[in-house]
Coordinates of all heavy atoms in Angstrom, one line a residue:
L1 N -21.1 -39.6 26.2 CA -21.7 -40.8 25.5 C -23.2 -40.7 25.3 O -23.7 -41.3 24.4 CB -21.4 -42.0 26.4 CG -19.9 -42.4 26.6 CD1 -19.8 -43.6 27.5 CD2 -19.2 -42.7 25.3
S2 N -23.8 -39.8 26.1 CA -25.3 -39.6 25.9 C -25.6 -38.6 24.8 O -26.7 -38.4 24.4 CB -25.9 -39.2 27.2 OG -25.7 -40.1 28.2
G3 N -24.5 -38.0 24.3 CA -24.7 -37.0 23.2 C -25.1 -35.6 23.7 O -25.4 -34.7 22.8
F4 N -25.0 -35.4 25.0 CA -25.3 -34.0 25.5 C -24.1 -33.1 25.5 O -24.3 -31.9 25.6 CB -25.9 -34.1 26.9 CG -27.2 -34.9 27.0 CD1 -27.3 -36.0 27.8 CD2 -28.3 -34.4 26.4 CE1 -28.5 -36.7 27.9 CE2 -29.5 -35.1 26.5 CZ -29.6 -36.2 27.2
V5 N -23.0 -33.6 25.3 CA -21.7 -32.8 25.2 C -21.0 -33.3 23.9 O -20.8 -34.5 23.7 CB -20.9 -33.0 26.4 CG1 -19.5 -32.4 26.2 CG2 -21.5 -32.3 27.6
Q6 N -20.5 -32.3 23.2 CA -19.6 -32.6 22.0 C -18.3 -31.9 22.2 O -18.2 -30.7 22.5 CB -20.3 -32.1 20.8 CG -19.5 -32.3 19.5 CD -20.3 -31.8 18.3 OE1 -21.4 -31.5 18.3 NE2 -19.6 -31.7 17.1
I7 N -17.2 -32.6 22.0 CA -15.9 -32.1 22.0 C -15.6 -31.3 20.8 O -15.7 -31.9 19.7 CB -14.8 -33.2 22.3 CG1 -15.0 -33.8 23.6 CG2 -13.4 -32.6 22.2 CD1 -14.1 -35.0 23.9
T8 N -15.2 -30.1 20.9 CA -15.0 -29.2 19.7 C -13.5 -29.1 19.5 O -13.0 -28.8 18.4 CB -15.6 -27.9 19.8 OG1 -15.2 -27.2 21.0 CG2 -17.2 -28.0 19.9
A9 N -12.7 -29.2 20.5 CA -11.2 -29.0 20.4 C -10.5 -29.6 21.6 O -11.1 -29.6 22.7 CB -10.8 -27.6 20.2
V10 N -9.3 -30.1 21.4 CA -8.4 -30.5 22.5 C -7.1 -29.8 22.4 O -6.4 -29.8 21.3 CB -8.2 -32.0 22.4 CG1 -7.2 -32.5 23.5 CG2 -9.5 -32.8 22.5
N11 N -6.7 -29.1 23.4 CA -5.5 -28.2 23.4 C -4.5 -28.6 24.4 O -4.5 -28.1 25.5 CB -5.9 -26.7 23.6 CG -7.0 -26.3 22.6 OD1 -6.7 -26.1 21.4 ND2 -8.2 -26.0 23.1
L12 N -3.8 -29.7 24.1 CA -2.8 -30.2 25.1 C -1.7 -29.2 25.4 O -1.1 -29.2 26.4 CB -2.2 -31.5 24.6 CG -3.2 -32.7 24.4 CD1 -2.4 -33.9 23.9 CD2 -3.8 -33.0 25.8
G13 N -1.5 -28.3 24.4 CA -0.5 -27.2 24.6 C -0.8 -26.3 25.7 O 0.1 -25.6 26.2
Y14 N -2.0 -26.2 26.1 CA -2.4 -25.3 27.2 C -1.8 -25.7 28.6 O -1.8 -24.9 29.5 CB -3.9 -25.3 27.4 CG -4.7 -24.4 26.3 CD1 -6.0 -24.4 26.2 CD2 -3.9 -23.7 25.4 CE1 -6.7 -23.6 25.3 CE2 -4.6 -22.9 24.5 CZ -5.9 -22.9 24.4 OH -6.6 -22.1 23.5
F15 N -1.3 -27.0 28.7 CA -0.6 -27.4 29.9 C 0.6 -26.5 30.2 O 1.1 -26.4 31.3 CB -0.2 -28.8 29.8 CG -1.3 -29.8 30.1 CD1 -1.8 -30.6 29.2 CD2 -1.8 -29.8 31.4 CE1 -2.8 -31.5 29.5 CE2 -2.8 -30.7 31.8 CZ -3.3 -31.6 30.8
T16 N 1.1 -25.8 29.1 CA 2.3 -24.9 29.3 C 1.9 -23.5 29.6 O 2.7 -22.6 29.8 CB 3.2 -25.0 28.1 OG1 2.5 -24.5 26.9 CG2 3.6 -26.4 27.8
Y17 N 0.6 -23.2 29.5 CA 0.1 -21.8 29.7 C 0.0 -21.5 31.2 O -0.6 -22.2 32.0 CB -1.3 -21.7 29.0 CG -1.2 -21.4 27.5 CD1 -0.3 -22.1 26.7 CD2 -2.2 -20.6 26.9 CE1 -0.3 -21.9 25.4 CE2 -2.1 -20.4 25.5 CZ -1.2 -21.1 24.8 OH -1.2 -20.9 23.4
S18 N 0.5 -20.3 31.5 CA 0.4 -19.9 32.9 C -1.0 -19.7 33.4 O -1.3 -20.0 34.6 CB 1.2 -18.6 33.1 OG 0.6 -17.5 32.3
L19 N -1.9 -19.3 32.5 CA -3.3 -19.1 32.9 C -4.0 -20.4 33.5 O -4.8 -20.3 34.4 CB -4.1 -18.5 31.8 CG -5.5 -18.1 32.1 CD1 -5.6 -17.0 33.2 CD2 -6.2 -17.5 30.9
L20 N -3.6 -21.5 32.9 CA -4.1 -22.8 33.4 C -3.8 -23.0 34.8 O -4.6 -23.4 35.7 CB -3.6 -23.9 32.5 CG -4.1 -25.3 32.9 CD1 -5.5 -25.5 32.3 CD2 -3.2 -26.4 32.3
W21 N -2.5 -22.7 35.2 CA -2.0 -23.0 36.5 C -2.4 -21.9 37.5 O -2.5 -22.1 38.7 CB -0.5 -23.2 36.5 CG -0.2 -24.3 35.6 CD1 0.5 -24.2 34.4 CD2 -0.5 -25.7 35.7 NE1 0.5 -25.4 33.8 CE2 -0.1 -26.4 34.6 CE3 -1.2 -26.4 36.7 CZ2 -0.2 -27.7 34.4 CZ3 -1.4 -27.8 36.5 CH2 -0.9 -28.4 35.4
V22 N -2.7 -20.7 36.9 CA -3.3 -19.6 37.8 C -4.7 -20.0 38.2 O -5.1 -19.8 39.3 CB -3.4 -18.3 37.0 CG1 -4.2 -17.3 37.7 CG2 -2.0 -17.7 36.8
G23 N -5.4 -20.7 37.3 CA -6.7 -21.2 37.6 C -6.6 -22.2 38.7 O -7.4 -22.2 39.7
L24 N -5.6 -23.1 38.7 CA -5.4 -24.1 39.7 C -5.1 -23.5 41.1 O -5.7 -23.9 42.1 CB -4.3 -25.1 39.4 CG -3.9 -26.1 40.4 CD1 -5.1 -27.0 40.7 CD2 -2.7 -27.0 39.9

């Protein structure tokens, strides 16, 4: 909201990627 971060992409499909859960 302060403008210090800008969202460039949202990838909801990554929830199915194994690398995401490897990170967890």
Side-chain angles (χ1 to χ4, degrees):
L1 295 178
S2 301
F4 295 119
V5 167
Q6 179 180 348
I7 297 175
T8 58
V10 177
N11 304 292
L12 297 179
Y14 283 174
F15 278 113
T16 63
Y17 279 37
S18 61
L19 186 57
L20 182 78
W21 305 110
V22 167
L24 177 59

